[in-house]
Amino acid sequence: MKISVLTLFPEFFDSFTSTSIIKRAIEQERVTFECIDFRAYTKDKHNNVDDTICGGGAGMLLACQPIVDCLRAIKTDSSVVVMMSPQGETLQQAKVREMISYDHIILLCGHYEGFDERIRDYVDMEISIGDYVLTGGEVAALTLSDALIRLYDGVIAKQSHEDDSFENGLLEYPQYTRPIDFEGKKVPDVLLSGHHENIRQWRLKESLRKTYLRRKDLLVNRQLTKEESKFLIEIKNEDN
Ligand code: ADE
């Protein structure tokens, strides 16, 4: 598993790669993570990678040559080139899951006003992390890298991400730690009962409740099991 980030600001990723779970994943070679400054590939005599916009307009655009040459230098048959852009497909957990099977992911970060449109002919997919515009693709590449790396084998316990929000199409159920009573707010009795089946049912129902209350949209296209439908009816009745 390898992630190569093409960026004009490799230092942006320093704290990401030197902190906590991501640091350990890199040290344990669960993932190879590299940043490549594509300015090193420019043929411009002033070392520029951008230029003014044809037809006029504010700001500068990233030019084709440095990025395309950089891609040609590092791409292999198993590389997938991903452009980080607000025009891309909005990132969802299901997409992250799909991407963890790729051997080599190249994340292309824009800056300034964006990319020369022709660069899109050299990428395999375009990903956005949400409907807002960032100053560059770095925050988006970092977000996607983090979401990917935590799913790689051995990085965190499988159980931890199997129950994550979105993994089964629902938001995660509420969780508690000690003390059992904090300022009169108590941990639900069922979680202290040691009864695994009751705990499973409670968690599923509370997961459905959170999703129903906060993200009804997630329930629209989800095929509910018999048990889930029963719980959802109960939740709706409790709501009235
Ligand atoms: N670059 C600028 N804004 C972005 C966004 N929302 N997602 C991905 N890349 C971006």
Side-chain angles (χ1 to χ4, degrees):
M1 239 42 103
K2 182 171 167 186
I3 299 176
S4 305
V5 181
L6 270 52
T7 170
L8 294 172
F9 305 98
E11 68 280 7
F12 187 92
F13 296 85
D14 288 350
S15 64
F16 175 61
T17 53
S18 61
T19 310
S20 182
I21 295 171
I22 304 300
K23 176 186 181 194
R24 203 173 59 226
I26 294 168
E27 281 172 357
Q28 295 178 345
E29 297 180 1
R30 311 268 181 208
V31 60
T32 304
F33 186 90
E34 65 176 7
C35 290
I36 299 170
D37 183 350
F38 57 84
R39 192 181 297 279
Y41 290 83
T42 186
K43 291 181 175 148
D44 179 79
K45 59 178 185 290
H46 302 295
N47 234 15
N48 287 332
V49 288
D50 56 345
D51 212 333
T52 51
I53 303 172
C54 296
M60 305 283 269
L61 274 189
L62 289 168
C64 296
Q65 179 275 317
I67 290 174
V68 172
D69 280 358
C70 179
L71 285 173
R72 288 204 171 114
I74 69 161
K75 251 183 89 161
T76 67
D77 288 346
S78 62
S79 304
V80 176
V81 181
V82 183
M83 176 187 270
M84 306 315 301
S85 141
Q87 297 179 22
E89 172 185 342
T90 309
L91 189 63
Q92 307 276 352
Q93 188 67 14
K95 187 71 185 177
V96 181
R97 277 241 164 257
E98 183 189 314
M99 292 177 79
I100 55 171
S101 63
Y102 303 156
D103 280 341
H104 182 207
I105 300 175
I106 299 174
L107 303 179
L108 176 56
C109 301
H111 226 82
Y112 313 115
E113 277 307 302
F115 300 96
D116 183 307
E117 188 66 20
R118 293 165 292 183
I119 296 173
R120 292 195 156 83
D121 292 346
Y122 300 83
V123 312
D124 300 303
M125 64 177 82
E126 205 167 322
I127 297 277
S128 164
I129 59 162
D131 288 344
Y132 39 82
V133 181
L134 303 163
T135 56
E138 284 75 15
V139 171
L142 196 147
T143 303
L144 175 53
S145 298
D146 187 286
L148 282 163
I149 293 172
R150 67 187 288 284
L151 292 187
Y152 289 148
D153 272 350
V155 174
I156 53 175
K158 252 204 162 84
Q159 176 72 39
S160 310
H161 47 74
E162 273 166 7
D163 289 340
D164 279 345
S165 289
F166 308 114
E167 279 300 346
N168 63 354
L170 300 174
L171 299 185
E172 195 173 21
Y173 47 79
Q175 301 193 89
Y176 303 85
T177 183
R178 281 175 293 193
I180 302 307
D181 184 329
F182 180 75
E183 299 190 345
K185 300 171 209 298
K186 299 214 172 75
V187 174
D189 286 339
V190 61
L191 299 178
L192 309 170
S193 68
H195 193 300
H196 297 306
E197 176 54 19
N198 286 354
I199 293 173
R200 184 197 67 76
Q201 288 187 25
W202 183 87
R203 285 180 166 164
L204 177 59
K205 185 167 174 182
E206 294 313 309
S207 210
L208 279 159
R209 190 193 307 278
K210 264 208 175 176
T211 312
Y212 173 69
L213 293 176
R214 297 180 179 201
R215 291 291 305 273
K216 281 195 183 64
D217 59 300
L218 294 176
L219 295 174
V220 174
N221 294 321
R222 193 174 182 282
Q223 200 78 19
L224 295 183
T225 64
K226 256 194 177 155
E227 186 184 36
E228 289 169 351
S229 302
K230 181 185 109 195
F231 284 151
L232 196 56
I233 291 166
E234 287 174 14
I235 291 163
K236 286 179 183 170
N237 288 338
E238 287 162 25
D239 217 27
N240 294 327

